[in-house]
Amino acid sequence: MGTADATTTASSALFDPQAILESRVRGAMVRAVPDLASQSPEAIDPMVTASRNAKFGDYQCNAAMGLGKKLGKPPREIAQAIIKNLDLTDIAEPITEANIAGPGFINITLKPQSLSSLLTTMAGASMGFPAPGSLGTAVVDLCGVNLAKQMHVGHLRSTVIGDTLANILQRAGWKVIRQNHVGDWGLPIAMVTSRLIDQAAAGQIDLSKVTLDDLDKAYKAAQRECESDQRGLLMAQRWHMGPKIIAELQAQADGAAEKSERARSVLRRLQTHDKDVMAVWQRISDVTMSACLTIASRLNADVRPEHSAGESSYAEELAPMVAELEKSQVAQISEGALVIRLEDVGLNEPLLIRKSDGAFLYATTDMAAIRRRVQKLGAQRVVYCVDARQSLHFKQVFAGASKAGYAKLPSGQNAVLEHAAFGTILGEDGRPFKTRSGESAKLGELLDQAEAYAFEVITQRSPDMSEDERRSISRTIAVAAIRYVDLSTERIKDYVFSYQRMVSFEGNTGPYLLYALVRIRSIFRKAAERGISTSDLPAPTIAHAAEKTLALALLRYPGVVQDVAKSLEPSRLCAYLYELAGVFSTFFDVCPVLSAASDSERASRLALCKLAEGVLAEGLKLLGIPTLEKM
Ligand code: ARG
């Protein structure tokens, strides 16, 4: 069938009749009005819509009206010219003058067979996705945890969205390289390392037994002890607050200065890979990463040790890179610091790559990361799943990297650098989500809570299930719930975190979709119980309106995935799956499957159920949601 040919349809939607028609009509418009050929295809709107009334066929093309007006010609004449140039023989009934309604609406009716054969081709051709890796290489920057800090809600989004986009890009035909840009270098890490060295020397801690919680506390304490209360001291002196207070504050400030100096020396020893300091750093890294990767795996996110390429992995590259940028005059000295000016690309803030004290920054490392990802790993696309509050940072770094030539592939082609920015998770009070004690919420605890809520819900629904089974199902529901709320909201928007809502089986939630899939799967279980064969099903015959709606929804799936791979907007896949589940449910209500009127009708409907099961299961898998057989 010609319709599955990527050359005749926009590659983004190989099987969706609407997309096929749009692309064919566009071609016909250009042939009918050659002047249009100078426009980009996106600028030519074929105006194909699903008909509201069956008497006007399945689809309508309304392009002739606008075009007629623009060209000062009767729209009917344009419509005639379009249909003369329109070849739809493989998919629609022949179109003649009789199909032009009113001033110039073209009515299109699909061939009864066409949906059925499109569905069969789609299922047989691995949904029509390009072969794995054939589109090129994409790096996905995800997770991005920081050493000696608990993973908090911000890392929920970078992990879940990053993992999902990586899955989707891969399915859409990219070779995907996941990169966990761990914050594991620089002064703050040196501060906590320095504190732990001192504490271990004083016998206050046993480094072989520290937990991430201990590290988290040490991190905060290290920040505090290195931060002197200079302002307090100045105030105390100014207001003559008494020698005792002044002396106390002075001592504190001196202490902080001393701790800072020690941290700086630890940083220098880290930079020269001093064995003793590195051993402590390694311990911090191991403890943090093992906790972080455990949480990622609980979230069903594919973030493994081999995906880690932390800031430390770029440490050696920074000095030569910066020297080169200075030499080539891509960067200039400004007030003692080294910056890349970006006014010419519309950014007033320059990109700071070396502070006046000689230290490198977060942005310096990100420049090196772009260079490695594009020039060594060969990425045509680099997708950053990072909080929207870092938007300016990425704008600057992308601009800086392109000035430096780091975004140029060995082939000379420019890589596309994309910030898949996301909004903030809010508490029910509308402020950034915190625990009751005011701490930023830890991811592990969030998962525990969601599991507890899910356990309650599942116990209510299925009190007879064994506790083990309920626990195991709750774990899946919790993952589905947490991932789905995060993914179903438009990426850039903030959303309110509510356990009750996300674990609910009603509405646009993860558990609802899990349940929809379980229901389809149970049809096949029942069929097996009744000895009805569900293998070797025929191509479905589309007769009933609800069957047609379901078929059309299923045919949209590959296009939706391709669209998400382009827009980096997983909420569109969520919205699609939610709609599909609803359409399936209507179909199932009005079209008996196991008790269909005839064996052939039953087999045809079972074939539709099988396709729906396949699409829903695959969609959930791309969202990183593990599925269930029963719940
Ligand atoms: N560690 C950073 C943070 O927690 C996120 C890293 C994002 N990735 C990057 N290439 N900058 O904010």
Side-chain angles (χ1 to χ4, degrees):
M1 234 175 92
T3 48
D5 181 350
T7 57
T8 55
T9 58
S11 67
S12 63
L14 303 173
F15 306 100
D16 176 3
Q18 166 128 8
I20 296 170
L21 293 175
E22 282 170 355
S23 142
R24 302 275 182 94
V25 169
R26 199 178 276 130
M29 286 166 75
V30 173
R31 284 187 290 274
V33 183
D35 284 355
L36 289 177
S38 61
Q39 296 191 18
S40 74
E42 297 85 68
I44 304 170
D45 187 354
M47 300 192 66
V48 174
T49 55
S51 300
R52 282 172 207 269
N53 188 332
K55 124 176 148 213
F56 298 127
D58 296 318
Y59 291 92
Q60 265 184 356
C61 162
N62 304 336
M65 268 57 64
L67 213 49
K69 199 164 169 199
K70 213 163 88 191
L71 302 172
K73 283 192 180 160
R76 233 190 136 79
E77 206 172 284
I78 305 274
Q80 275 158 355
I82 292 177
I83 61 172
K84 210 184 288 154
N85 287 285
L86 186 58
D87 180 12
L88 296 176
T89 39
D90 54 342
I91 140 161
E93 302 290 359
I95 301 178
T96 65
E97 290 266 342
N99 301 103
I100 302 178
F105 302 107
I106 304 169
N107 297 333
I108 302 167
T109 303
L110 297 176
K111 281 186 178 153
Q113 256 304 309
S114 64
L115 290 181
S116 167
S117 37
L118 281 169
L119 281 170
T120 317
T121 329
M122 174 172 103
S126 181
M127 308 283 179
F129 290 115
S134 62
L135 295 186
T137 300
V139 160
V140 176
D141 185 301
L142 77 181
C143 190
V145 289
N146 301 309
L147 290 200
K149 282 203 208 166
Q150 294 277 6
M151 264 175 115
H152 58 80
V153 288
H155 296 113
L156 172 69
R157 302 211 74 186
S158 57
T159 302
V160 166
I161 296 174
D163 179 54
T164 301
L165 288 177
N167 293 341
I168 290 175
L169 285 167
Q170 190 157 334
R171 184 63 175 125
W174 292 86
K175 172 185 167 197
V176 171
I177 303 178
R178 294 163 190 251
Q179 295 273 278
N180 187 357
H181 194 82
V182 180
D184 61 359
W185 208 242
L187 193 57
I189 305 294
M191 282 177 181
V192 62
T193 309
S194 167
R195 181 180 166 93
L196 290 172
I197 292 173
D198 291 350
Q199 283 188 310
Q204 289 162 349
I205 49 157
D206 177 352
L207 277 176
S208 67
K209 296 214 177 75
V210 287
T211 63
L212 184 52
D213 243 343
D214 300 333
L215 294 181
D216 199 284
K217 290 197 185 97
Y219 185 94
K220 288 177 187 137
Q223 296 272 316
R224 274 195 307 274
E225 72 183 7
C226 291
E227 194 180 281
S228 77
D229 191 4
Q230 285 294 353
R231 253 168 65 95
L233 178 60
L234 287 176
M235 294 289 258
Q237 283 164 342
R238 180 145 155 228
W239 298 105
H240 308 291
M241 287 171 86
K244 196 163 153 31
I245 296 180
I246 292 176
E248 225 165 55
L249 287 169
Q250 183 66 56
Q252 191 260 344
D254 293 347
E258 191 214 312
K259 298 275 190 214
S260 290
E261 190 33 54
R262 288 175 64 80
R264 261 177 243 285
S265 109
V266 165
L267 181 60
R268 283 190 290 275
R269 288 168 68 196
L270 266 177
Q271 280 158 347
T272 51
H273 292 258
D274 174 290
K275 219 170 88 263
D276 298 334
V277 173
M278 277 312 276
V280 177
W281 177 88
Q282 192 60 55
R283 182 78 198 130
I284 299 175
S285 169
D286 292 347
V287 171
T288 310
M289 292 320 285
S290 125
C292 154
L293 298 186
T294 304
I295 296 218
S297 122
R298 278 183 76 185
L299 282 168
N300 201 34
D302 184 13
V303 184
R304 280 173 285 148
E306 58 267 40
H307 301 139
S308 286
E311 296 182 19
S312 63
S313 75
Y314 299 95
E316 306 287 290
E317 300 168 22
L318 301 188
M321 176 187 87
V322 168
E324 187 191 289
L325 290 173
E326 190 175 1
K327 194 167 145 228
S328 61
Q329 287 173 22
V330 171
Q332 286 104 23
I333 300 284
S334 161
E335 295 170 38
L338 190 67
V339 304
I340 301 181
R341 295 219 165 78
L342 303 168
E343 288 103 337
D344 57 325
V345 290
L347 292 168
N348 290 328
E349 295 277 318
L351 176 67
L352 185 56
I353 54 173
R354 191 182 62 212
K355 292 201 294 183
S356 50
D357 65 1
F360 301 130
L361 301 103
Y362 183 50
T364 323
T365 306
D366 261 322
M367 291 280 286
I370 292 176
R371 187 173 65 165
R372 185 191 294 170
R373 290 165 179 186
V374 176
Q375 300 187 341
K376 277 229 178 77
L377 305 179
Q380 274 109 329
R381 281 179 88 173
V382 187
V383 173
Y384 290 82
C385 303
V386 186
D387 197 303
R389 286 171 284 194
Q390 296 192 25
S391 288
L392 178 61
H393 165 77
F394 285 111
K395 271 196 196 121
Q396 292 180 309
V397 168
F398 293 171
S402 103
K403 281 210 157 162
Y406 295 168
K408 213 175 221 47
L409 287 145
S411 66
Q413 189 198 7
N414 276 321
V416 181
L417 310 172
E418 296 159 281
H419 181 196
F422 51 76
T424 306
I425 303 185
L426 305 174
E428 308 217 36
D429 58 358
R431 325 248 322 241
F433 190 74
K434 295 258 156 79
T435 58
R436 284 208 187 86
S437 60
E439 301 261 312
S440 92
K442 293 178 203 157
L443 261 190
E445 288 168 11
L446 234 66
L447 267 160
D448 294 342
Q449 273 291 330
E451 273 172 30
Y453 275 96
F455 187 72
E456 250 172 58
V457 174
I458 201 74
T459 301
Q460 251 166 39
R461 291 176 69 98
S462 315
D464 302 333
M465 231 180 232
S466 76
E467 165 154 2
D468 271 0
E469 203 169 355
R470 277 177 290 142
R471 292 254 172 246
S472 137
I473 291 178
S474 317
R475 276 195 291 278
T476 302
I477 292 183
V479 175
I482 290 191
R483 286 189 72 123
Y484 194 82
V485 260
D486 202 273
L487 295 166
S488 57
T489 321
E490 211 185 308
R491 186 162 44 70
I492 196 67
K493 290 208 171 126
D494 299 343
Y495 72 87
V496 173
F497 198 86
S498 149
Y499 292 110
Q500 265 97 345
R501 218 188 48 222
M502 72 171 98
V503 301
S504 162
F505 278 59
E506 268 123 58
N508 189 7
T509 67
Y512 167 79
L513 287 182
L514 272 187
Y515 186 62
L517 179 62
V518 163
R519 267 183 70 190
I520 308 181
R521 287 182 169 167
S522 76
I523 301 169
F524 289 94
R525 233 188 352 265
K526 280 196 197 121
E529 280 161 23
R530 296 188 203 168
I532 298 169
S533 162
T534 57
S535 56
D536 284 332
L537 294 168
T541 309
I542 307 302
H544 196 285
E547 291 173 331
K548 188 165 184 176
T549 310
L550 177 57
L552 287 173
L554 289 168
L555 291 169
R556 273 172 41 218
Y557 174 70
V560 171
V561 174
Q562 300 276 15
D563 171 39
V564 179
K566 220 192 234 161
S567 63
L568 305 177
E569 188 57 82
S571 64
R572 296 190 189 164
L573 178 56
C574 295
Y576 165 79
L577 293 176
Y578 180 58
E579 188 190 322
L580 177 66
V583 164
F584 182 83
S585 160
T586 307
F587 154 80
F588 197 60
D589 283 346
V590 298
C591 295
V593 176
L594 294 180
S595 50
S598 66
D599 281 0
S600 65
E601 188 176 75
R602 185 177 63 207
S604 161
R605 289 184 177 164
L606 276 169
L608 268 178
C609 292
K610 184 133 241 157
L611 287 165
E613 193 268 344
V615 167
L616 194 50
E618 185 184 304
L620 288 172
K621 190 169 160 209
L622 293 181
L623 298 178
I625 294 179
T627 61
L628 292 164
E629 293 303 317
K630 266 205 284 190
M631 70 195 278

